[in-house]
């Protein structure tokens, strides 16, 4: 294993004053390296937003290093029902987040590191950043076969994706962030990034499936901390003042004024699900009731995460047209999510307190609805 003779200092940033621009301005002249002390995906995405919105990136470049507890992060213009297994994620307690940048869906855990390169828009260069990452990896293992593609992915041994890229370009500033698979849970990753839902018709940005591999499978020395240090060192080499790594707490309002508000927005249902581009659901399913197979067809339009229109075709001899219409009307305007559908159907059942047969049939339809959410 090869290490650079120059080590990068790691410093916990103290709060010296409430004027954050001055605080960060005093840390380095040309560039700044920040490392998050948090593994909360919403806090770390909020730091990205804060740096983009508040720091003078015309005068100073920033590298932000971060890791997350298990989470799936979708791109700004993606549909989570098309991109991931929401049922499994709820079962495993895996969070879902929507980032501000475009691009595809990625799985994060503590074996995956994230690098965000902030610059002015005129200095924005994704390939330059990826070449820096390649140099860092080769400083640890010179024989490593890794290269950048035209899609700005990093491939190991010519075919295994170890890094994906996304970016946000503002009016005058920009950032490029990428992942690095070091020792991520390779058994869980393909399961959560495989949507089990069919019948969803959407023009949202789709992810491009790829073969993936952890860096530690190429060499045991390529641990997340070794790789993160190597990237920080390589970045530091670019600048005369050789910036060190400053460990920051993303929840520190004295360092990042207003960041709690940014995190709160990123956690909301209306951001995570409600920003999904409009889509339709066309689904046919069968219900087995009293040894009879009942065919049901469902058509829905979902806008901003809410059910805008709903039509169900159910045999009238099994469920009356009035009862079917009541169920459809109850669903209109509700969130396209399991908990809300269950609540609405439970509320609707109270209008038929003595009709066990109707209760059974509505509950069976409700189970089918929940299965596609």
């Amino acid at each position: 294993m090869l290490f650079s003779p120059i080590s990068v200092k790691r410093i916990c940033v103290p709060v010296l004053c409430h004027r954050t621009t001055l605080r960060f301005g005093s840390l380095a002249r040309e560039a700044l390296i920040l490392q998050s002390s948090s593994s909360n995906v919403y806090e770390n995405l909020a730091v990205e937003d804060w740096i983009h919105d508040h720091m003078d990136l015309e005068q100073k470049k920033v590298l932000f290093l971060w890791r997350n507890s298990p989470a799936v992060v979708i791109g700004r213009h993606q549909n989570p029902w098309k991109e991931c297994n929401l049922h499994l994620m709820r079962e495993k307690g895996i969070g879902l987040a929507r980032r501000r940048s475009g691009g595809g869906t990625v799985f994060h855990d503590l074996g995956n590191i994230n690098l965000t390169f902030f610059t002015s828009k005129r200095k924005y260069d994704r390939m330059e950043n990826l070449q820096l990452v390649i140099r860092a990896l080769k400083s640890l293992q010179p024989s490593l076969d890794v290269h950048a593609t035209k899609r700005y992915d990093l491939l190991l041994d010519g075919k295994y994706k170890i890094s994906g890229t996304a970016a946000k370009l503002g009016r005058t500033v920009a950032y490029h962030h990428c992942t690095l698979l070091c020792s991520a849970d390779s058994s869980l990753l393909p399961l959560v990034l495989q949507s089990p839902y069919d019948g969803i018709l959407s023009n949202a940005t789709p992810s491009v499936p790829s073969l993936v591999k952890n860096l530690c499978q190429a060499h045991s020395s390529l641990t997340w901390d070794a790789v993160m240090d190597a990237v920080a060192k390589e970045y530091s080499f670019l600048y005369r003042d050789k910036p060190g790594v400053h460990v920051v707490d993303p929840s520190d309002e004295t360092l990042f004024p207003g960041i709690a508000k940014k995190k709160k927005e990123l956690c909301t249902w209306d951001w995570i699900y409600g920003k999904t581009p409009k889509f339709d659901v066309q689904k046919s399913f069968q219900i087995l009731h009293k040894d009879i197979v009942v065919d049901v067809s469902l058509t829905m339009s979902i806008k901003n995460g809410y059910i805008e229109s709903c039509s169900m075709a159910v045999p009238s001899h099994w469920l009356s047209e009035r009862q079917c219409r009541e169920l459809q009307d109850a669903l209109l305007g509700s969130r396209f999510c399991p908990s809300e559908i269950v609540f609405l159907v439970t509320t609707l059942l109270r209008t038929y307190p003595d009709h066990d047969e109707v209760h059974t049939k509505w509950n069976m339809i409700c189970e089918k609805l929940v299965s596609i959410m």
Side-chain angles (χ1 to χ4, degrees), residues 73-87:
V73 183
I74 59 175
R76 173 67 178 83
H77 308 291
Q78 290 198 291
N79 182 322
W81 292 277
K82 290 278 285 184
E83 295 298 329
C84 47
N85 189 332
L86 295 171
H87 287 308

Side-chain angles (χ1 to χ4, degrees), residues 60-186:
K60 191 192 310 289
K61 293 184 177 182
V62 179
L63 171 62
F64 179 46
L65 309 169
W66 45 297
R67 294 189 303 148
N68 293 321
S69 296
V72 171
V73 183
I74 59 175
R76 173 67 178 83
H77 308 291
Q78 290 198 291
N79 182 322
W81 292 277
K82 290 278 285 184
E83 295 298 329
C84 47
N85 189 332
L86 295 171
H87 287 308
L88 180 62
M89 290 165 60
R90 295 183 193 112
E91 181 185 308
K92 299 283 189 182
I94 297 171
L96 176 67
R98 183 186 296 273
R99 60 180 183 267
R100 303 283 183 188
S101 61
T105 299
V106 289
F107 172 71
H108 288 186
D109 67 9
L110 293 175
N112 177 101
I113 66 173
N114 303 283
L115 317 168
T116 310
F117 298 86
F118 293 88
T119 64
S120 64
K121 190 173 180 180
R122 60 189 174 84
K123 294 180 180 177
Y124 167 80
D125 190 332
R126 282 185 288 183
M127 191 56 74
E128 181 180 288
N129 298 334
L130 293 178
Q131 290 303 323
L132 182 150
V133 174
I134 291 172
R135 291 196 303 273
L137 292 173
K138 286 183 173 291
S139 74
L140 297 174
Q141 285 300 323
S143 62
L144 200 67
D145 178 9
V146 58
H147 73 272
T149 71
K150 292 180 179 179
R151 290 180 52 84
Y152 301 103
D153 296 328
L154 290 183
L155 294 187
L156 181 67
D157 298 330
K159 60 179 178 178
Y160 298 107
K161 185 174 175 179
I162 58 169
S163 177
T165 278
K168 179 179 178 181
L169 276 67
R171 187 174 59 84
T172 60
V173 300
Y175 65 77
H176 160 222
H177 47 195
C178 60
T179 57
L180 268 178
L181 291 171
C182 296
S183 55
D185 188 333
S186 56

